[in-house]
Amino acid sequence: MKFNIGDTTIYFPYPYVYPEQYEYMKELKHALESHGHGIIEMPTGTGKTVTILSFIMSYQIAQPDVGKLIYCTRTVGEMTKVMAELERVVAYRNKCLEEENVDISKAKQGVIAVGLTTRRNLCLHPDVSMADSREEADSMCRSLTASWARSAAIERSDGSGVCEYYEGYRNEGSDAVLPPGFYDIDRLMEFGKQRKWCPYYTARHALNFANVVVYNYQYLLDPKIAGLISNQLARESIVVFDEAHNIDNVCIDALSVNLRKDTLGKCNGNLTTLSNKISDYKARDAARLREEYERLVRGISTTLIEQRTEQTMGESGVSELLGAPVLPQDIVEETVPGNIRRAEHFISFLRRIVEYLREKMTIQHVFQENPKLFLNQMQNTLMTDAKSLRFCSERLKSLVTTLEVENLSEMTPLQLVSDFATLIGTYGRSDNFAIIFEPTDHSGIPDPLLQLACLDASLGIKPVFARFQTVILTSGTISPLNLYSKILGFSPIVARSLSMSMERKCICPMIVSRGPDQVSMTSKFISRDDLSVVRNYGNLVIELATHVPDGMVVFFTSYVYMELMISYWDEMNVINRILDKKLVFIETPDITESSLALDNYRRACDCGRGAVFLCVARGKVAEGIDFDGHYGRAVVVIGVPFQYTESRVLRARLEYMRLALQIRESDYLSFDAMRQASQCIGRVIRSKSDYGIMVLADKRFVRNEKRGKLPPWILDCLEDAHVDMDTDEAVGTARRFLKDLAQPMQKSTALGIALLTGREVADLESGKALPKLSMNELRKGVTTGAFVE
Amino acid sequence: MSSSLTRKAKCEGVDGYVSVKDDTITWFPDKPGSQTRKKIDVSQITQVKKTPDGTSRAMIRIEHSNGKLTLEFVTKTGRADFSERLAVDDAVQGLRKSYKQKQIDESERAKAAEEAKLAPSAPAPAAPVGPIVPLEGNLSAQEYERRMEVLNKRSDINQLHKKLVGQGLVRDSKFWEFIRYRLEDDDPVKAQASVKRKEVKRGFPTAWEDPTSSTAESSGTGHRFVLTAATRNKIFAQHPNIELAFRDNVPKKMTGEEFWEKYSKSRYFHSSRGGTATEADKLFALYDAQAPMKIAQELRDRKAGLTTTLDLEKADDHRVVHVQNVHQEGSSNIKNDMYLPKLQQLNRHGKLVLDSNASSKPSDIAWSADEDELQHPLPDLEEDRNPPMIPLKIKNRMLFFEGLGAQSSTAEPSVRKHGLDAMSDRISSWQPDLKRFAKPIPASTSIYKEVFGLSDSAKLNSR
């Protein structure tokens, strides 16, 4: 369908549009025209992605000076979905334009969309693609693609020691422009196989000229990677962070470093390796080290060298190293200090840092220090200044390049220490960081851990807001919006939480606080071993498994809690009773095992047996897997998924937020727990034709300060009678709900209320209001299906 | 056994060193002449006190009969050094312990000598069989007696002792350290306890360990294992290698019954007898060896078949290096996860059930849910379309009837199969005989004869 929002024609690839989608587009238009940032919440299953894509693809036609779309997602699976949706949107848009005979340039019609992910996911080399970790794959790739490795291979002239796909890309692909298309992982791999081009480097090259870029948040938020990947993106680009409810944690992680005692132990090995290499180079190729020294004296940074090498020789290799972990505005444009210019001096400097940190970690008690104090002590003891510390990451990068170190994954410990030094050297004078040392883990087992924790989430995202003119944060669960924008430190032009228009109540949220014996259910630490609570939770799952058809998902607050509950349930025969009704699959710390369990769960649902999937909030499954349709007819959240409140880093962050942002600790903890809970229950519904039961099983959910933080679209459906239920009431309600919702859905009843045609959108544009149904009418509609006038 | 230790320590604010050596604790100043050397004999020590760990100063106070010696330990940077204090404290405590042990030994020896003097008329004890090789010194009286007793009673250990210690291959203390395990194994009570200990795993019900134990029947003539479908499933869930062997051999090389017979012989009959490996043992030994590799390969194959949306490993997790493994209660890792085997077993159980049911294989499902979701993410926004349908037909009637029969758990599988076979054959071969209905209605006896082919006597018996 086509409709207008103001003077912009929107090409929407469906015959109907939801009212909230229309509202969303209006907000987007406002943000784009004001060149400001926005934060918009819209329920899961109401088509956020298609709304954003169809609006921006249409807006690009109306306003040709708008830059490319940078769509940031959370997982690779979501990236694939975005690409599929984009293809549909663009195909429809181009078809309409052809019909209208609109004169637009061919470049605009032929959209190039690229999805970028790690090279491990985008590798065709038989050995590298089998690497166990991302670091290992990066390191193996570097040993095949670095300039010196390639030179050595040319000298050998036997073709070994290089990657044929990378060579193919260098020979043909590095100057080529990709044909228009939608390059997700599978297509990039297919394209790479056909052309013999490395898919990863092809995708990176394509970022420069693609109209749409889809990648992970970290490519923009983590300064180490952003400097490498996203430094060429224009200011006019439109940045969208989808599923942005966890973005504050990503920002904080990007600027934090943890050091363990064994990391420091391995650093000594790294330093010895580098020392030996330096001695070796001195003996056979001293000119190389001299050249590096002179370059540093002249103040030419490694980044500049990379650019020059790229331009003059068409070589790469240097730029494959991650950058310094500091924000772009804090990068020092000065020469490297004299005391670390010589390779051997730098090695001894690093050795002193390692020794200093090691001595710090012999302390037997927990301490939390202001970074200013820590930096002062460090400077005094090491007889150095902050500037030398700031240059550590950059200097290490230069040295590793000069010495042609191949196995970079082995150098990770030293890289961590140099990142630590750079961060403390750069941000040691600010109050946004904390140094926390813990000699033991939570169970008292000695495991010294020194943490440089970033406390301010706004630090990481500030450069993104400053660099791009429009940044949109969107998710189904980021209420309350004002709190979130406060945490991220920006003033949005648009801040809106949209509700869900429904012709039938397709979700049934319930808060179950008591078991059939009226004993309260809670995941509080003191009640975890209370057998009556464990039994009541078990009963709830058994009862729901008995009455809910197909798939059912149960979320626990943590792995430890889930394992504890399963072991109790096993002893109490609960597991066997669930097995009588449905198969049981469980998310485990082993990712492969969990993926296969998930696959088997879906098989069980497909073949009609039905299954229960037990998993954890904040886990991989909770963050990236949808349980739509028959894969999830009910979702149960057992307990309130609070963060681990004994964590000292969390405490430090809470204190910082209280002092700097005036956010109360309890407010933040509740906000965080409820956004996780909302994420979990939101997994069950992916479109309005879908339906599902949402059970929050903990007495603490009844309290208003928790319940009130649920997104408005869930709160709208939460009836007063469903707020404080026991198991029997909940099961009865679930049975009635499932019986009603399983009836065929009549599209005609939704027209004009939950589905709009082009004419109705035009009416809205001209100022007419839509009819709105009350909750009673909604309930009535479920059973009778007749409430349209 | 004496050990020496020297550490830097302050005494009354003066830098110096403390040395723990040869039953004495000595402190001497860093610069000679600044303060006098202090020496304490271990016999003089009355009490050792320390400041609590984590306080601002790491101190130790050794109180002795002539006064006290207070030492403070600091690092180069001037901070309290608890690790050094711990080392000195350990050395002092070790010294006191060995001193006390010596005193006890001496008193016991004196007591024994006195007793020997008091009983001169007692018959002289028989000369011990061994050892020819002398035992090492510094042993308590009880330990000495225990070792002598072992050497006198156990000729094999005595010989081993002569061979290893006598020829200087192993030190006496090491010999006794390692022989302990053999002695424990030979002790029937302890051996049984250790086997039990090995079997019990936390988070793992013992019933799952040996599924056949609950179904074993003993009688005068022998031992009979009843392997029901549930028991077999448990065996498969517990031992992936057996499942692998079953899939490879049944029905290509042997029948199911033969397989389970071999399994029982190998695992329960021959396992208790030792001796030579039978044909059954060889069959399973092969799979025991190859199973880990084959299972890993199978996992890889299955993972390769996963769609991008389901593969959790395909992630862009860049933060793992910088902030990994924070100390958190909720975090868990594979190595230390004691409940992981239980969780894996439940997942495996589900997989086995699905694999055993042909209708749940992905290839049999006419459409892929993932593809459909990618192509039609919002079905209610589209015009009504015909949803893909799975053709409703029974491909294999045996499978269908077995599926029905599986719901009744009481009947034995073979009995059930036989009954269902007969019933399905009757149904498929039934042809309406219209001519028969044209005849006049016969008497009830002739109906029995005609329809079931029964004689009159059989009819009467059945009545």
Side-chain angles (χ1 to χ4, degrees):
Chain A
M1 67 184 288
K2 275 193 310 184
F3 54 87
N4 284 334
I5 295 182
D7 53 352
T8 311
T9 308
I10 308 296
Y11 302 96
F12 192 70
Y14 293 97
Y16 306 101
V17 64
Y18 296 141
E20 51 271 29
Q21 286 179 321
Y22 166 73
E23 288 294 322
Y24 195 107
M25 287 185 198
K26 274 173 62 178
E27 299 296 344
L28 265 181
K29 186 167 187 283
H30 177 50
L32 284 175
E33 284 176 350
S34 325
H35 292 186
H37 310 308
I39 178 165
I40 310 174
E41 184 182 57
M42 188 156 95
T44 52
T46 49
K48 278 189 292 294
T49 312
V50 73
T51 310
I52 295 166
L53 293 176
S54 56
F55 178 78
I56 292 174
M57 289 295 109
S58 307
Y59 194 77
Q60 279 180 339
I61 298 290
Q63 308 286 337
D65 55 331
V66 170
K68 63 178 73 178
L69 168 64
I70 303 165
Y71 198 99
C72 301
T73 61
R74 219 170 19 167
T75 62
V76 175
E78 279 168 11
M79 195 172 94
T80 310
K81 286 181 190 168
V82 171
M83 285 300 215
E85 194 82 84
L86 180 67
E87 191 172 356
R88 190 186 173 105
V89 167
V90 172
Y92 179 77
R93 184 194 73 171
N94 291 352
K95 192 180 128 212
C96 291
L97 290 174
E98 269 174 30
E99 284 168 7
E100 290 169 11
N101 291 322
V102 176
D103 182 29
I104 55 160
S105 63
K106 279 193 174 177
K108 279 287 171 193
Q109 282 200 44
V111 169
I112 302 174
V114 181
L116 180 69
T117 172
T118 55
R119 66 184 86 199
R120 186 172 167 233
N121 293 339
L122 280 176
C123 185
L124 286 169
H125 191 277
D127 297 333
V128 181
S129 56
M130 297 302 285
D132 288 335
S133 65
R134 181 181 59 80
E135 292 81 22
E136 196 186 329
D138 288 357
S139 176
M140 285 167 78
C141 179
R142 181 180 152 81
S143 66
L144 295 171
T145 57
S147 54
W148 63 84
R150 296 173 63 221
S151 311
I154 291 166
E155 279 171 23
R156 281 198 304 274
S157 70
D158 59 353
S160 64
V162 288
C163 172
E164 59 168 321
Y165 297 100
Y166 182 72
E167 294 304 314
Y169 162 75
R170 295 261 12 141
N171 294 335
E172 297 172 23
S174 56
D175 298 325
V177 176
L178 264 64
F182 303 87
Y183 298 93
D184 61 3
I185 294 185
D186 295 337
R187 285 185 188 167
L188 273 170
M189 297 289 265
E190 195 55 42
F191 182 78
K193 263 184 210 164
Q194 275 175 11
R195 299 279 179 104
K196 293 268 176 195
W197 292 0
C198 170
Y200 174 74
Y201 283 98
T202 308
R204 268 183 62 178
H205 170 61
L207 294 187
N208 299 321
F209 51 82
N211 309 91
V212 181
V213 175
V214 185
Y215 58 26
N216 193 280
Y217 309 140
Q218 320 228 7
Y219 289 106
L220 267 188
L221 294 176
D222 189 342
K224 296 184 284 297
I225 318 160
L228 191 69
I229 305 279
S230 308
N231 53 354
Q232 302 292 327
L233 300 174
R235 177 174 165 71
E236 291 73 30
S237 308
I238 305 163
V239 179
V240 175
F241 287 100
D242 195 5
E243 303 291 350
H245 51 272
N246 267 344
I247 221 166
D248 55 330
N249 293 331
V250 179
C251 294
I252 277 174
D253 286 350
L255 290 174
S256 301
V257 182
N258 293 351
L259 292 177
R260 310 185 95 82
K261 204 160 189 177
D262 61 335
T263 310
L264 296 181
K266 285 175 192 163
C267 277
N268 284 334
N270 291 163
L271 288 167
T272 311
T273 310
L274 289 179
S275 291
N276 292 342
K277 272 198 169 271
I278 291 168
S279 310
D280 188 31
Y281 268 86
K282 271 187 175 172
R284 62 182 175 86
D285 191 7
R288 198 179 177 86
L289 289 172
R290 214 167 26 245
E291 193 187 316
E292 189 207 19
Y293 176 77
E294 280 164 13
R295 198 183 73 221
L296 294 173
V297 170
R298 289 201 303 273
I300 302 169
S301 72
T302 320
T303 321
L304 204 61
I305 290 290
E306 286 163 20
Q307 287 164 4
R308 279 189 195 172
T309 322
E310 287 273 355
Q311 285 162 8
T312 56
M313 298 168 69
E315 285 291 338
S316 84
V318 184
S319 59
E320 297 322 304
L321 298 173
L322 296 180
V326 290
L327 302 170
Q329 71 269 22
D330 301 316
I331 290 173
V332 195
E333 297 289 342
E334 293 173 40
T335 53
V336 174
N339 63 337
I340 55 169
R341 272 183 213 153
R342 282 199 186 282
E344 56 271 37
H345 291 173
F346 178 58
I347 294 293
S348 62
F349 181 70
L350 281 182
R351 214 181 278 279
R352 274 156 53 209
I353 294 176
V354 171
E355 279 310 309
Y356 176 79
L357 295 175
R358 193 202 285 274
E359 197 175 301
K360 272 273 173 195
M361 287 170 84
T362 54
I363 296 170
Q364 298 293 309
H365 58 91
V366 175
F367 69 80
Q368 180 180 337
E369 272 181 10
N370 189 313
K372 287 177 198 168
L373 179 65
F374 189 87
L375 179 63
N376 274 343
Q377 283 176 354
M378 200 168 172
Q379 285 179 181
N380 293 340
T381 313
L382 296 177
M383 308 285 250
T384 185
D385 58 349
K387 193 180 165 189
S388 305
L389 293 171
R390 293 173 86 168
F391 273 96
C392 275
S393 289
E394 190 69 13
R395 181 68 189 91
L396 181 68
K397 187 177 164 186
S398 167
L399 184 65
V400 165
T401 312
T402 309
L403 297 179
E404 298 179 350
V405 177
E406 285 182 4
N407 197 347
L408 271 184
S409 61
E410 270 184 15
M411 288 287 157
T412 309
L414 198 58
Q415 201 182 338
L416 276 178
V417 169
S418 59
D419 285 351
F420 184 93
T422 303
L423 277 172
I424 193 78
T426 312
Y427 301 109
R429 305 277 174 218
S430 70
D431 293 324
N432 307 333
F433 284 78
I435 297 279
I436 295 163
F437 174 72
E438 292 170 290
T440 61
D441 68 5
H442 71 274
S443 53
I445 296 167
D447 181 19
L449 178 74
L450 184 65
Q451 303 170 75
L452 172 60
C454 173
L455 307 175
D456 186 2
S458 68
L459 266 185
I461 203 165
K462 206 176 273 174
V464 180
F465 285 131
R467 187 171 159 198
F468 299 103
Q469 65 185 25
T470 305
V471 178
I472 304 290
L473 306 185
T474 187
S475 173
T477 52
I478 36 177
S479 289
L481 301 182
N482 56 347
L483 185 65
Y484 203 56
S485 52
K486 204 173 184 182
I487 290 170
L488 293 178
F490 78 111
S491 314
I493 291 277
V494 171
R496 177 101 190 255
S497 181
L498 297 160
S499 62
M500 191 192 251
S501 60
M502 288 183 284
E503 84 282 11
R504 59 174 194 171
K505 202 182 91 169
C506 59
I507 54 171
C508 178
M510 293 186 276
I511 297 176
V512 181
S513 57
R514 292 162 283 125
D517 54 2
Q518 302 305 310
V519 172
S520 298
M521 290 199 277
T522 178
S523 67
K524 268 185 180 175
F525 196 78
I526 48 164
S527 305
R528 287 192 174 182
D529 291 319
D530 184 343
L531 291 183
S532 55
V533 173
V534 175
R535 188 186 56 238
N536 280 344
Y537 273 134
N539 271 337
L540 176 68
V541 176
I542 293 169
E543 289 296 322
L544 286 173
T546 309
H547 295 103
V548 173
D550 301 321
M552 185 176 135
V553 193
V554 180
F555 286 96
F556 293 84
T557 52
S558 67
Y559 273 119
V560 176
Y561 185 51
M562 180 175 78
E563 289 178 339
L564 185 77
M565 289 291 272
I566 291 175
S567 68
Y568 275 130
W569 283 356
D570 195 44
E571 285 166 17
M572 293 170 145
N573 207 31
V574 170
I575 292 282
N576 283 341
R577 286 171 67 195
I578 300 173
L579 280 172
D580 286 345
K581 315 291 176 197
K582 290 177 191 294
L583 292 176
V584 174
F585 295 96
I586 306 168
E587 180 186 7
T588 67
D590 182 348
I591 297 175
T592 310
E593 168 101 22
S594 300
S595 299
L596 293 174
L598 205 54
D599 185 44
N600 287 329
Y601 168 80
R602 289 168 77 109
R603 276 171 66 199
C605 294
D606 284 339
C607 77
R609 275 200 82 110
V612 180
F613 197 83
L614 308 179
C615 48
V616 288
R618 299 171 197 277
K620 291 243 175 205
V621 172
E623 283 295 310
I625 304 294
D626 293 338
F627 293 95
D628 54 332
H630 65 294
Y631 297 127
R633 285 288 175 229
V635 59
V636 184
V637 180
I638 290 187
V640 184
F642 279 117
Q643 286 194 52
Y644 178 52
T645 44
E646 296 299 307
S647 159
R648 288 187 173 80
V649 176
L650 177 66
R651 280 197 214 159
R653 197 178 161 203
L654 290 174
E655 196 183 337
Y656 171 81
M657 282 196 285
R658 185 168 53 83
L659 295 174
L661 307 173
Q662 288 77 49
I663 297 171
R664 282 189 306 171
E665 292 161 4
S666 58
D667 279 351
Y668 177 77
L669 287 174
S670 299
F671 157 74
D672 183 66
M674 292 313 290
R675 71 175 162 179
Q676 294 303 331
S678 310
Q679 264 301 302
C680 295
I681 55 179
R683 302 281 97 202
V684 82
I685 180 154
R686 293 283 109 184
S687 77
K688 284 188 192 175
S689 57
D690 197 1
Y691 60 91
I693 296 164
M694 301 168 166
V695 179
L696 297 165
D698 195 303
K699 67 174 180 183
R700 289 172 290 175
F701 284 118
V702 178
R703 288 184 211 154
N704 198 34
E705 48 107 12
K706 298 267 179 320
R707 189 163 36 105
K709 290 192 172 65
L710 283 169
W713 59 277
I714 297 179
L715 274 180
D716 286 349
C717 295
L718 180 62
E719 295 176 30
D720 292 342
H722 295 172
V723 167
D724 188 6
M725 304 174 97
D726 66 20
T727 306
D728 293 339
E729 289 167 349
V731 171
T733 308
R735 286 181 65 185
R736 281 193 297 278
F737 174 82
L738 289 166
K739 201 175 109 195
D740 291 340
L741 269 284
Q743 307 309 314
M745 189 182 163
Q746 298 296 323
K747 187 163 279 174
S748 57
T749 58
L751 287 174
I753 295 156
L755 296 179
L756 303 181
T757 58
R759 191 176 54 82
E760 283 159 340
V761 175
D763 286 350
L764 279 176
E765 272 293 299
S766 60
K768 283 187 187 171
L770 280 177
K772 196 173 179 186
L773 296 177
S774 68
M775 188 52 68
N776 276 339
E777 284 171 317
L778 276 179
R779 268 202 303 276
K780 206 171 136 196
V782 167
T783 48
T784 62
F787 47 78
V788 181
E789 291 172 10
Chain B
M1 208 168 71
S2 64
S3 61
S4 67
L5 174 131
T6 309
R7 289 285 187 275
K8 208 166 184 184
K10 277 184 179 180
C11 179
E12 295 167 14
V14 180
D15 286 337
Y17 292 92
V18 61
S19 161
V20 185
K21 192 181 176 184
D22 294 338
D23 295 353
T24 54
I25 298 149
T26 318
W27 179 85
F28 50 91
D30 204 359
K31 294 171 189 166
S34 61
Q35 200 167 3
T36 51
R37 176 183 287 254
K38 293 180 179 175
K39 192 173 181 181
I40 309 164
D41 194 82
V42 70
S43 58
Q44 296 173 312
I45 298 175
T46 52
Q47 206 173 6
V48 179
K49 290 178 176 172
K50 294 171 290 177
T51 52
D53 280 359
T55 48
S56 58
R57 301 175 80 181
M59 298 172 84
I60 189 166
R61 176 178 289 167
I62 302 166
E63 292 178 3
H64 54 95
S65 47
N66 298 330
K68 56 192 176 187
L69 173 68
T70 308
L71 303 170
E72 187 179 359
F73 300 85
V74 286
T75 61
K76 285 176 193 169
T77 53
R79 285 181 162 272
D81 193 342
F82 288 95
S83 59
E84 295 283 275
R85 204 268 309 270
L86 183 70
V88 172
D89 184 35
D90 281 350
V92 173
Q93 297 298 354
L95 222 60
R96 291 185 72 192
K97 205 173 169 186
S98 60
Y99 173 73
K100 276 180 190 166
Q101 190 64 49
K102 259 186 214 169
Q103 276 188 323
I104 293 166
D105 291 353
E106 273 172 18
S107 66
E108 278 178 356
R109 267 182 213 152
K111 207 174 168 186
E114 263 181 32
E115 278 173 5
K117 273 182 195 172
L118 288 172
S121 56
V129 183
I132 298 169
V133 185
L135 294 176
E136 228 173 43
N138 293 339
L139 286 175
S140 67
Q142 291 100 324
E143 179 61 12
Y144 186 85
E145 272 173 22
R146 194 187 70 82
R147 291 184 183 182
M148 285 298 290
E149 194 184 359
V150 170
L151 291 175
N152 285 334
K153 280 184 182 171
R154 301 282 299 267
S155 59
D156 55 333
I157 291 177
N158 197 349
Q159 277 180 359
L160 205 64
H161 187 260
K162 280 175 200 165
K163 197 175 167 184
L164 296 175
V165 184
Q167 292 175 13
L169 298 172
V170 175
R171 279 170 53 204
D172 190 48
S173 57
K174 286 281 169 200
F175 175 84
W176 288 106
E177 197 179 324
F178 291 116
I179 208 74
R180 185 164 57 92
Y181 296 106
R182 180 186 278 205
L183 294 174
E184 265 180 20
D185 282 354
D186 292 348
D187 185 346
V189 180
K190 281 186 181 171
Q192 215 171 14
S194 75
V195 168
K196 231 177 188 177
R197 216 171 31 240
K198 274 175 211 163
E199 277 176 1
V200 175
K201 291 179 195 165
R202 287 197 67 181
F204 218 73
T206 40
W208 287 69
E209 278 292 329
D210 183 9
T212 53
S213 58
S214 56
T215 54
E217 293 171 2
S218 288
S219 65
T221 52
H223 205 70
R224 185 166 166 262
F225 293 103
V226 183
L227 297 176
T228 60
T231 319
R232 286 177 208 169
N233 182 44
K234 282 180 184 173
I235 292 171
F236 284 156
Q238 176 75 16
H239 308 288
N241 49 337
I242 303 298
E243 193 216 342
L244 204 66
F246 185 85
R247 273 194 279 144
D248 279 3
N249 291 288
V250 181
K252 281 182 237 163
K253 296 175 188 165
M254 60 185 84
T255 62
E257 279 178 13
E258 282 170 349
F259 178 87
W260 289 112
E261 195 182 326
K262 282 192 179 193
Y263 174 79
S264 308
K265 278 180 181 172
S266 167
R267 296 294 147 123
Y268 305 108
F269 184 68
H270 293 296
S271 65
S272 58
R273 307 201 164 196
T276 53
T278 61
E279 196 190 331
D281 291 332
K282 283 176 192 166
L283 170 76
F284 291 108
L286 186 71
Y287 286 97
D288 288 345
Q290 290 177 350
M293 213 165 58
K294 283 195 174 178
I295 290 163
Q297 181 60 43
E298 196 180 314
L299 275 182
R300 272 200 295 276
D301 292 347
R302 286 191 81 147
K303 204 176 143 284
L306 289 182
T307 53
T308 315
T309 44
L310 282 189
D311 193 348
L312 299 172
E313 253 183 52
K314 278 194 177 161
D316 276 332
D317 220 351
H318 282 277
R319 60 184 166 163
V320 284
V321 177
H322 274 69
V323 286
Q324 61 181 335
N325 297 331
V326 189
H327 291 161
Q328 284 198 357
E329 189 236 17
S331 62
S332 176
N333 61 39
I334 300 172
K335 277 183 194 169
N336 302 328
D337 196 337
M338 62 183 178
Y339 295 111
L340 188 61
K342 174 71 202 162
L343 308 188
Q344 283 173 332
Q345 199 163 12
L346 280 168
N347 282 338
R348 210 177 135 62
H349 166 75
K351 179 200 159 262
L352 282 171
V353 173
L354 289 172
D355 284 352
S356 66
N357 186 357
S359 65
S360 67
K361 283 183 183 161
S363 58
D364 278 10
I365 294 167
W367 52 285
S368 160
D370 280 317
E371 274 179 27
D372 192 65
E373 195 193 322
L374 281 180
Q375 284 165 14
H376 308 282
L378 295 166
D380 51 332
L381 283 185
E382 296 178 17
E383 295 291 2
D384 288 334
R385 63 191 174 99
N386 294 325
M389 306 293 274
I390 305 170
L392 185 62
K393 61 180 180 184
I394 300 165
K395 286 181 183 172
N396 182 346
R397 68 166 190 278
M398 276 306 299
L399 210 70
F400 177 70
F401 282 109
E402 270 194 344
L404 281 180
Q407 288 170 3
S408 74
S409 56
T410 47
E412 278 297 306
S414 58
V415 176
R416 238 175 25 227
K417 187 169 173 291
H418 179 76
L420 288 166
D421 260 349
M423 191 171 86
S424 61
D425 284 343
R426 282 277 172 96
I427 291 168
S428 58
S429 61
W430 183 78
Q431 292 288 330
D433 184 2
L434 296 174
K435 280 181 192 171
R436 194 196 300 167
F437 297 106
K439 291 177 187 173
I441 297 167
S444 59
T445 47
S446 47
I447 294 174
Y448 269 107
K449 269 185 192 173
E450 195 155 345
V451 176
F452 294 106
L454 298 174
S455 64
D456 282 351
S457 58
K459 180 201 76 182
L460 289 172
N461 284 341
S462 67
R463 278 185 168 182

